[in-house]
């Protein structure tokens, strides 16, 4: 069974600051996905990383994948309140997807 | 409506009853998935389907049954509901051409009393 660990689990940060969320996984995978979930809502796809070294950016969020280290990072630049949500990484093995337990981000004005 | 829908959105049932959660997508995606979300566990895959009439177990399949006679529908049945199956259930669909990026339905909140 593939294990996916995110850290931190909870993150409170001030507006304008930078921070990184980490996603580690236990077995080989060449793909990784990041999702966002607002309270009481469904999940929304943020990034699809399909190869080693993949880097994708959207607004204040940038995700990267290092398949050799089995590590993905989600970097937040100059946080704003609208980024407050829970962020999940997901790693596939075959057609099965394993999700991390999520990082709950709160951006404080 | 285009997209992926789930019904019902909320359901309360009693222990031992059979419950079916419906999932419908309009994109003709090949892949469909059922997850449950519980505090402290993130999302866990229950069952998935790679195409009509092809289904396979995920991480936590016990107590659940699925079928997929049509590409667009993927119902999940709890044959005899237990309190441990109280959860939020999400259906998702995806396609290889988009790198298996998953599109999630709005969720069904199920309470078993």
């Amino acid at each position: 069974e593939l294990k996916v660990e995110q850290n931190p689990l909870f993150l409170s940060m001030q507006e304008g600051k930078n921070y990184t969320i980490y996603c580690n996984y236990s077995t080989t995978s060449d793909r990784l996905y990041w999702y966002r979930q607002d309270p009481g809502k469904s999940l929304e796809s943020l990034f699809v990383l399909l190869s080693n070294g993949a880097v994708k950016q959207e607004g204040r969020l940038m995700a990267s994948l290092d398949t050799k280290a089995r590590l993905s990072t989600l970097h937040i630049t100059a946080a704003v309140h609208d980024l407050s949500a829970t962020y999940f990484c997901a790693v596939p093995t075959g057609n099965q997807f394993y999700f991390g337990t999520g990082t709950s981000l709160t951006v404080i004005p | 409506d285009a997209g992926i829908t789930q019904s019902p959105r909320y359901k309360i049932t009693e222990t031992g009853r059979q419950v079916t959660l419906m999932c419908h997508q309009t994109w003709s995606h090949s892949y469909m998935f059922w997850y449950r979300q519980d505090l402290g566990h993130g999302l866990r895959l229950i069952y998935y389907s790679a195409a009509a009439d092809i289904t396979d177990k995920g991480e936590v399949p016990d107590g659940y049954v699925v079928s997929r006679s049509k590409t667009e529908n993927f119902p999940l049945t709890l044959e005899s509901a237990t309190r441990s199956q109280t959860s939020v259930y999400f259906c998702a669909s995806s396609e290889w051409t988009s790198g298996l990026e998953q599109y999630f339905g709005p969720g069904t909140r199920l309470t078993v009393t």
Side-chain angles (χ1 to χ4, degrees), chain A:
Chain A
E1 179 184 315
L2 191 151
K3 299 286 187 188
V4 182
E5 294 185 347
Q6 287 183 237
N7 68 82
L9 298 183
F10 299 93
L11 175 57
S12 180
M13 57 190 296
Q14 286 188 313
E15 277 190 334
K17 298 292 187 181
N18 304 333
Y19 208 81
T20 300
I21 298 170
Y22 297 88
C23 175
N24 292 272
Y25 54 98
S26 62
T27 61
T28 302
S29 178
D30 59 359
R31 292 175 284 143
L32 190 137
Y33 305 78
W34 282 97
Y35 293 90
R36 168 184 171 140
Q37 185 178 37
D38 292 310
K41 302 292 186 182
S42 186
L43 283 82
E44 172 191 355
S45 177
L46 291 175
F47 298 109
V48 178
L49 303 170
L50 297 177
S51 61
N52 184 41
V55 177
K56 291 200 173 177
Q57 183 164 5
E58 180 74 33
R60 300 173 187 275
L61 300 177
M62 183 174 72
S64 66
L65 177 61
D66 181 344
T67 59
K68 294 179 181 175
R70 298 176 187 171
L71 171 69
S72 179
T73 60
L74 180 65
H75 187 72
I76 304 155
T77 302
V80 293
H81 180 68
D82 285 351
L83 291 179
S84 296
T86 299
Y87 293 85
F88 293 94
C89 61
V91 181
T93 175
N95 290 325
Q96 295 207 32
F97 286 78
Y98 292 85
F99 279 72
T101 50
T103 295
S104 177
L105 170 65
T106 302
V107 180
I108 303 166

Side-chain angles (χ1 to χ4, degrees), chain B residues 3 9 17 36 39-40 46 48 67 73 83-84 88 95 106 108-109 111:
Chain B
R9 294 292 313 279
R17 292 197 180 260
R36 59 178 291 172
L39 275 175
I46 304 170
Y48 67 97
S67 63
N73 296 324
R83 288 183 183 162
S84 65
V88 179
E95 191 58 71
T108 295
R109 183 173 294 276
T111 302

